[in-house]
Amino acid sequence: MRLAVLQFTHETVTFLPNDTTRDDFLYPGSPAAGAALLATDPKGYMGGFVQVAREYDGVELVGITSPLWPRTGTASGWITADAYAHFLGLMVAELRAQGPFDGVYLALHGAMAVRGVSRPEADIARQVRAAVGERAILVGTFDLHGNEDAAFLDHADMAFAVKYFPHYDGHLQGQRAARMMVRAVRGDFRPAHRTLKVPILSPTAVQWTGAPPWSNLVQRALVWEAREPDVFVNVFFGFPWGDAPDGGMTVQVITNDDPGLADRVARDVADFAWRHRRALLEATRIHPIAEGVRLAREAVADGAAPVVLADHSDRSGRATWLLREILRQGLPRALIATVASPEILAAMDGVATGDPFDASVGGGGDPSAGDPVRITGTVLRVVAAPEPGVAGSGGGGGRWICVAFGSGNVLVLSPQLAQVVEPDELWRLGLEAADFDVVAIKSRVHFRRGFDDSGYARTILLVEPPEPFIGTVRLDHLAYETMRAADFYPYGDPAGPVPSGR
């Protein structure tokens, strides 16, 4: 049994001004092929797929040359038509040259946006199908933030999306993809599926599955998978910062040759989400930044430190709103990690620990970043950029600089957006946890993996600027062109879940 393996992933913020180009996918290690591709993401989708596929005798895995995540992470906009056509063209040509294949595994995301291509993941499946033929089994894995409808399964056989945010179960979904692909190739599983669109448009900052009501929605899907053999439920929460024709929430169910069961389960889960739509949108408290900094100070005074201030709205990494407010209110013993300042880092190529620091950091690029903020202090650390973390922290090469300023404060400068999700990522920079009462980060939910689930933070405050910038929870302020906020709850009055596709 010969199985091809390929990857093409991006979570595209279509409102950012900087396109994602071919060069963004080209860096040491990317593209990857053969054994190198199969060794990527060992704790995620790819690692799970490879592990289980290799448990079967007679299975050969062929790693097709694939780009990894772009060096920009999630801090870049539309993928250019050139980049998309180039890399997908190479993959399709390699599939044709190295075939035949019994199956193809597609490691995707679901929120990729490409100029001129309305549904990229479905188009990838269409072109792969044309290359390998109708008999091959095509299976994809997805992030739950995918903007998906039934189009992918018009060309592929199965899809498996993570259920948790933070995404704890990528490895599990990769394992499922391998197991079900082998069964389908052997004729033991004949996929039947049903997809429903649920017209709810929600910002990712409210989608934490660690507490109700989102945990209840996940549990609803898990109960169906537990009570009915060979039932798999995907709940795509959607990615509202991608202006896509298939945006909003989606429920998708796959069964073993039982379309009636797929329809019944899909309708139950979709109806559950619709009944609880108000709670899903209102469960998470978002504070204006000024209020959040004030509450952080009060929490420290009340002995409820460490405090995490999470600016969920920064999509470029350059935003200075939280840093500016920390300065304005004189908040001491705060660690700000990070503010993206590639120009400053480039200009300080020879800087060393102990050197004076006086520069205007962050800001620029687009209005959501705000203006640069002048910081005067001392260089505390100069470190190589860490390897990419769970949600994109680090990577991209270059250096990070830690600057001490004010009353026990430290600012970390990075070349691009960094979602710090584990406290240890900061302590590995040479910083000491005991030196800080407040940690200010750029993250929506992924940070809960390390700062909340571990018990590190005693107080967590999600904040955003008062203006409705790119990352706002007020999604009706975004300049959608392909989709309309008014077609979704809470911005309009849609009727409820509707079928998608055949």
Side-chain angles (χ1 to χ4, degrees):
M1 184 184 301
R2 300 188 74 235
L3 306 180
V5 177
L6 58 88
Q7 171 177 317
F8 204 177
T9 54
H10 191 228
E11 185 179 77
T12 310
V13 180
T14 59
F15 302 102
L16 285 172
N18 52 314
D19 282 0
T20 309
T21 68
R22 187 192 300 197
D23 286 345
D24 290 325
F25 291 97
L26 299 174
Y27 54 87
S30 177
L37 177 66
L38 302 180
T40 60
D41 197 20
K43 293 185 178 180
Y45 307 96
M46 184 69 73
F49 181 88
V50 171
Q51 178 193 66
V52 167
R54 284 176 170 166
E55 292 175 356
Y56 293 93
D57 293 334
V59 171
E60 176 190 1
L61 298 180
V62 180
I64 302 299
T65 303
S66 303
L68 305 184
W69 273 84
R71 68 174 75 245
T72 52
T74 61
S76 57
W78 291 96
I79 296 175
T80 63
D82 166 75
Y84 179 76
H86 173 74
F87 292 113
L88 183 55
L90 290 176
M91 288 186 280
V92 167
E94 203 166 311
L95 286 170
R96 294 184 186 277
Q98 296 196 39
F101 293 104
D102 299 292
V104 182
Y105 168 54
L106 309 172
L108 306 173
H109 182 281
M112 175 184 284
V114 178
R115 293 197 180 276
V117 181
S118 62
R119 292 172 171 82
E121 286 83 6
D123 183 64
I124 292 169
R126 179 185 64 82
Q127 294 197 44
V128 169
R129 173 65 71 194
V132 300
E134 292 298 320
R135 296 187 61 183
I137 300 297
L138 270 60
V139 180
T141 50
F142 289 84
D143 191 297
L144 58 75
H145 291 124
N147 288 324
E148 292 296 316
D149 55 16
F152 177 78
L153 292 179
D154 286 344
H155 308 287
D157 298 282
M158 289 176 280
F160 299 93
V162 291
K163 289 183 170 60
Y164 299 101
F165 187 26
H167 307 324
Y168 297 124
D169 55 326
H171 194 268
L172 171 63
Q173 302 306 331
Q175 290 179 322
R176 283 182 162 182
R179 188 174 298 112
M180 302 316 297
M181 178 181 287
V182 170
R183 287 183 59 188
V185 169
R186 292 175 174 176
D188 182 45
F189 191 92
R190 295 175 174 82
H193 48 81
R194 183 61 158 166
T195 302
L196 296 177
K197 293 296 295 183
V198 186
I200 299 173
L201 192 64
S202 60
T204 55
V206 307
Q207 296 170 353
W208 180 39
T209 59
W214 291 90
S215 61
N216 296 340
L217 178 58
V218 172
Q219 185 63 23
R220 192 79 170 196
L222 290 172
V223 166
W224 275 112
E225 292 184 347
R227 64 186 277 187
E228 294 285 350
D230 285 346
V231 164
F232 303 97
V233 183
N234 299 323
V235 183
F236 293 99
F237 297 172
F239 186 68
W241 293 284
D243 188 7
D246 46 2
M249 183 180 288
T250 303
V251 174
Q252 189 176 79
V253 176
I254 300 167
T255 66
N256 190 358
D257 199 25
D258 193 340
L261 178 60
D263 182 74
R264 180 160 63 97
V265 175
R267 290 185 182 279
D268 176 83
V269 176
D271 288 345
F272 181 89
W274 187 245
R275 289 196 306 273
H276 294 86
R277 60 191 180 277
R278 180 173 179 178
L280 290 170
L281 271 293
E282 296 180 356
T284 300
R285 177 78 184 276
I286 308 292
H287 302 275
I289 279 180
E291 178 183 81
V293 174
R294 176 180 59 81
L295 292 173
R297 179 188 289 278
E298 292 176 2
V300 172
D302 291 341
V307 178
V308 171
L309 279 168
D311 177 3
H312 77 88
S313 69
D314 186 6
R315 284 289 169 179
S316 69
R318 304 173 70 105
T320 56
W321 306 102
L322 184 52
L323 171 62
R324 184 182 300 277
E325 190 62 28
I326 287 172
L327 287 169
R328 191 187 73 80
Q329 295 193 29
L331 185 67
R333 291 173 52 86
L335 169 59
I336 301 99
T338 71
V339 173
S341 301
E343 300 85 359
I344 298 299
L345 292 172
M348 294 186 170
D349 187 46
V351 72
T353 298
D355 285 352
F357 184 95
D358 188 349
S360 294
V361 303
D366 68 270
S368 69
D371 295 325
V373 171
R374 184 178 178 183
I375 296 294
T376 302
T378 304
V379 174
L380 186 64
R381 298 278 188 277
V382 180
V383 299
E387 291 299 312
V390 173
S393 60
R399 301 165 305 149
W400 286 16
I401 295 179
C402 304
V403 180
F405 71 99
S407 301
N409 298 326
V410 171
L411 169 66
V412 182
L413 300 177
S414 62
Q416 70 282 315
L417 172 67
Q419 283 201 66
V420 178
V421 299
E422 299 275 358
D424 282 350
E425 295 178 46
L426 299 172
W427 316 145
R428 287 197 296 269
L429 302 178
L431 304 174
E432 297 290 338
D435 292 339
F436 305 102
D437 296 322
V438 178
V439 178
I441 57 177
K442 308 288 184 66
S443 185
R444 287 154 286 283
V445 171
H446 280 299
F447 75 92
R448 292 186 182 273
R449 172 190 297 262
F451 289 90
D452 192 353
D453 291 358
S454 67
Y456 168 83
R458 295 189 62 190
T459 303
I460 291 176
L461 300 165
L462 270 71
V463 299
E464 76 168 32
E467 294 83 355
F469 290 129
I470 289 175
T472 181
V473 295
R474 290 163 283 173
L475 302 174
D476 54 335
H477 289 268
L478 296 177
Y480 290 116
E481 296 180 0
T482 302
M483 57 188 282
R484 294 192 326 139
D487 292 334
F488 299 87
Y489 177 84
Y491 306 106
D493 189 26
V498 295
S500 172
R502 296 182 298 222

